[in-house]
Amino acid sequence: MAAPRFERALIVGAGSGLSASLTRLFASEGLQVALAARNTDKLADLARETRASTFACDASDPAQAARLFVDVAARIGDPDVVVYNASGRSRGPVAELVPAEVERAIAVSAFGGFLIAQQAARRMLPKGHGAILLTGASASVKGYAQSAPFAMGKFALRGLAQSMARELAPKGIHVAHFVIDGGIRSASRAVPADKPDSMLDPDAIAQSYLHVLRQPRSAWTWEVELRPWVETF
């Protein structure tokens, strides 16, 4: 069977890193792209470069998540690819963490992922077609010291992805979770000169997302782990 064709992508939690690489790659593949973030000012240059549409949204708010899909549909049509890249963090010793900050971190990393995935599934199910891609991290499978809120949120997002994949794959919707196990390089986070390719290249990560989108349904994956060649397991 031929690889599925996608036409419109929505990236939630968009910024200048992986989301920007995904936007450029999707646009180069002919997809219309919508970008959602709490602050859309930071997306202006990327939107101009890729002709992407931007939408202000706090993904952890049920009303705003629902409204986002209404607005995107009105602008470019229902997305058949939805990527959730938003994360929330609160660091510190467990005994000193502020409950409200922990609640917010989990709401962004996990509850927001559920809200966006739910809205996406509601629109994809009648068509029997679509892809929901959730971005995880090392914390999806490894809880580090003084990083409990991030681990709780990312563990929950991974569980959501696994459950959704089992439920939705037989209905034509490809759900995949990406464990980004390592630091992503950026303008402010350069690769050390004595350790070439020791950080994840966001453009290379984006290629893996595209590869998953192109998988024939007879050989879908629900999870991909990506790490630099020097990263220890």
Side-chain angles (χ1 to χ4, degrees), residues 33-80:
V33 182
L35 303 173
R38 281 179 289 174
N39 175 15
T40 58
D41 292 343
K42 63 182 180 181
L43 303 175
D45 291 343
L46 179 63
R48 280 192 294 270
E49 175 190 343
T50 59
R51 298 184 179 179
S53 302
T54 61
F55 301 85
C57 177
D58 178 348
S60 65
D61 181 285
Q64 291 191 44
R67 184 66 193 176
L68 171 63
F69 279 79
V70 172
D71 292 344
V72 170
R75 185 87 60 88
I76 68 170
D78 284 327
D80 46 17

Side-chain angles (χ1 to χ4, degrees), residues 6 130-133 168-169 172-176 212-213 215 219-222:
F6 296 98
I132 302 172
L133 310 180
L168 300 179
I173 300 170
H174 191 176
V175 179
V212 167
L213 287 179
Q215 288 178 329
W220 275 356
T221 183
W222 85 270

Side-chain angles (χ1 to χ4, degrees), residues 111-228:
F111 186 56
F114 159 73
L115 292 174
I116 295 300
Q118 181 184 57
Q119 292 296 327
R122 285 175 174 172
R123 287 157 177 80
M124 294 175 183
L125 280 168
K127 302 170 185 177
H129 168 70
I132 302 172
L133 310 180
L134 306 176
T135 301
S138 302
S140 301
V141 293
K142 294 180 283 190
Y144 291 99
Q146 300 196 14
S147 190
F150 192 49
M152 285 190 285
K154 287 300 186 181
F155 264 67
L157 187 72
R158 184 173 186 256
L160 170 69
Q162 187 175 102
S163 178
M164 286 175 47
R166 290 192 166 111
E167 176 184 344
L168 300 179
K171 299 178 182 179
I173 300 170
H174 191 176
V175 179
H177 175 254
F178 295 78
V179 179
I180 311 302
D181 190 9
I184 300 176
R185 78 184 190 196
S186 65
S188 60
R189 200 178 188 186
V191 177
D194 61 338
K195 295 181 180 179
D197 294 326
S198 59
M199 300 185 74
L200 287 144
D201 179 348
D203 290 342
I205 299 173
Q207 286 290 340
S208 290
Y209 280 63
L210 181 62
H211 171 72
V212 167
L213 287 179
R214 288 175 170 170
Q215 288 178 329
R217 65 184 182 184
S218 68
W220 275 356
T221 183
W222 85 270
E223 184 167 75
V224 176
E225 287 187 289
L226 300 171
R227 60 176 60 84

